[in-house]
Amino acid sequence: MTATTALGLFFTARLCGGLVLALVARSAGKHPLLLLGRSWDSVWYLGIAEHGYGLTHRNRTGIHSDLAFFPLYPGLVRTVALLTPLDGVRAALVVSWTAAAAAAYGIYLLGVRLYGPAVATVLVGLWGLLPHSVVLSMAYTEPVMTACAAWSLYAVLSGRWVWAGVLAALAGLSRPNGIAVAAAVLSAASHEVWRARGRGVSPRLWTGAALAPLGWSGYVLWVGSRRGDPLGGYFTVQRLWGSRFDFGRGALRFTEHMLLHGTRLLFPIALVIVVVSGVLFALLIADRAPLPLVVYSGVLLVIAFGGSGFFESKPRFLLPAFPLLIVVARALVRTARARPWHAAVVAGALAGLSFAYGAYLVVLARSPL
């Protein structure tokens, strides 16, 4: 199997998902392109791309500021819109689709390096068929962050420390949980220094480690300075959005309420996805995956588990955690070799779930992704 096969499977999955979404949207009297390019957070990113920062919105839950949204994605959208005849929505989708393709290729190369082309191909296919993979076709930041993460992790495992640091810094400029990439780079660099006992360590390693956290920390400090509180201003902005890190207390209270009183479909599915992600992380550790992949996935899980607010968005927050799928990909490859029909049934079921649920989330759910 080659990269062409893996990317072909990924593009086919996303194209089929897009066609299902378009059919459902048309039947509901909605425009599929606008649903993909101007839904929920996408509106904020488009506003930043067009006008810069400074927009606030007051509603019954408080004052929401666009400073909660990191700058890399709207910056890329603005650049594409300035250099092409595309409007904001189409420019945003071009950035997302291009980043998703770059992420898929990076995931493939990472998989090949560690487990061979068969596992790498299945890994890319699984990532493109996750229940929330519809986000990869939308004007959201997850494709950009995942692309930076995949290539940064590949650079770490290849010993290209400066590239790893630069890409980690860009990941930190893309999303709040982009700090997970910097954590992975720093953990790998620390392990390398410890193994060498601090002797003969390349200056490139120190450079990459120094660069890795600059994107995330730089933006957080910039927002804090604008708010008059350099260390706490960004977190105040997030609290006004109802988002804060409370070590999972809010998520546990919401789960208890959901189990006792019931709720809409997307909340129990979100809970199942979060629980399964925790199990896959345990299996990733048991499988002795490389340290950077474990740290990267672990930080993403801690942020998703420990954050309060927007419970329905937790599966989206975990979408960049592609290393969690490695154990599943390896098992599916073994199944395909022993019982090809069984593997085909599993793949078909995943595809059906992904396409149907993605269309439901975007067209029918009427809830923030």
Side-chain angles (χ1 to χ4, degrees), residues 267-315:
F267 292 107
I269 289 183
L271 176 62
V272 169
I273 291 173
V274 168
V275 172
V276 169
S277 297
V279 173
L280 291 177
F281 180 65
L283 293 174
L284 185 71
I285 296 174
D287 199 47
R288 297 185 178 181
L291 177 66
L293 273 63
V294 172
V295 172
Y296 169 68
S297 302
V299 174
L300 288 176
L301 281 167
V302 168
I303 293 173
F305 288 1
S308 66
F310 303 104
F311 189 90
E312 68 275 26
S313 298
K314 292 185 185 295

Side-chain angles (χ1 to χ4, degrees), residues 40 68 85-86 97 102 113 119 134 136 178 202 212 216 250 266 287 291 305 316 321 333 347 358:
W40 303 106
L86 299 175
W97 296 345
R113 182 176 185 86
V119 172
V134 65
L136 302 175
S202 168
W216 187 89
L266 73 165
D287 199 47
L291 177 66
F305 288 1
R316 174 169 65 85
V333 168

Side-chain angles (χ1 to χ4, degrees), residues 23-36:
L23 291 173
V24 175
R26 290 296 186 186
S27 66
K30 299 178 181 179
H31 196 293
L33 197 64
L34 289 179
L35 288 173
L36 292 174

Side-chain angles (χ1 to χ4, degrees), residues 55 92 108 110 140 153 266 326 347 359:
L55 178 65
Y108 174 80
L110 192 65
Y140 268 72
L153 292 170
L266 73 165
I326 288 174

Side-chain angles (χ1 to χ4, degrees), residues 123-144:
L123 180 62
V124 171
L126 288 173
W127 186 62
L129 290 176
L130 289 173
H132 279 67
S133 60
V134 65
V135 174
L136 302 175
S137 301
M138 299 179 68
Y140 268 72
T141 55
E142 277 73 17
V144 172

